Amino acid sequence: MKDDKIKVCEDYKDLNKASLKDNFPWPHINVLIDNAARSSTYSFMDGFFGYNLIKMTNNDKEKTTFITLWGTLSYKVMPFGPRNTRVIYQKTMIILFHDIMHKEIEVHIDDMIAKSKEGEGHC
């Protein structure tokens, strides 16, 4: 490894088979585009690292347990890979931005567009 950091890779196939799928409805992309088209100024944001800011519940931590040379470890924050990760992230974004969604911001999973009709008040 170039940077001498340990990189962990887990296989969540069995966990995903055992997990119930959360059928939370995804936002319709055409609605998001139509809402954004009514604005003149945009800022695009990628919340990619936001996944790692959502803390795992104690019950879910044990489901992400893996074995290393240094012992048995589990995630404290939400990792990529488990079945409902994207749904949980979308729900979290809706909770965080519910007051301004479809007015000043559009959110699709970890992609966000801040928008304004006039550029002066955009920031």
Side-chain angles (χ1 to χ4, degrees):
M1 287 179 241
K2 294 179 190 175
D3 56 10
D4 293 330
K5 291 185 180 179
I6 302 295
K7 304 218 187 314
V8 179
C9 181
E10 302 85 26
D11 181 357
Y12 290 114
K13 280 186 241 159
D14 291 337
L15 175 61
N16 287 340
K17 285 180 191 173
S19 299
L20 294 175
K21 183 178 180 189
D22 186 333
N23 287 317
F24 184 76
W26 291 108
H28 292 281
I29 197 73
N30 53 341
V31 172
L32 299 178
I33 291 169
D34 288 346
N35 287 342
R38 297 184 189 116
S39 300
S40 66
T41 306
Y42 307 93
S43 294
F44 298 91
M45 297 166 279
D46 186 354
F48 176 77
F49 290 107
Y51 287 87
N52 301 122
L53 297 175
I54 299 173
K55 293 185 179 185
M56 299 281 289
T57 65
N58 286 332
N59 287 342
D60 289 336
K61 278 182 195 176
E62 67 184 38
K63 296 172 188 167
T64 65
T65 301
F66 55 97
I67 300 168
T68 72
L69 297 172
W70 307 275
T72 304
L73 305 173
S74 59
Y75 280 91
K76 292 180 180 180
V77 296
M78 191 167 61
F80 287 108
R83 168 178 255 170
N84 292 313
T85 297
R86 291 169 43 130
V87 171
I88 292 167
Y89 192 88
Q90 179 70 35
K91 286 179 177 181
T92 303
M93 293 300 99
I94 289 170
I95 290 167
L96 287 172
F97 295 116
H98 74 278
D99 289 344
I100 59 172
M101 281 185 67
H102 310 303
K103 299 171 193 155
E104 298 162 4
I105 193 168
E106 299 297 332
V107 178
H108 187 264
I109 311 170
D110 62 349
D111 295 316
M112 294 165 271
I113 302 172
K115 58 188 184 170
S116 59
K117 294 191 189 300
E118 298 160 13
E120 294 133 14
H122 185 67
C123 288

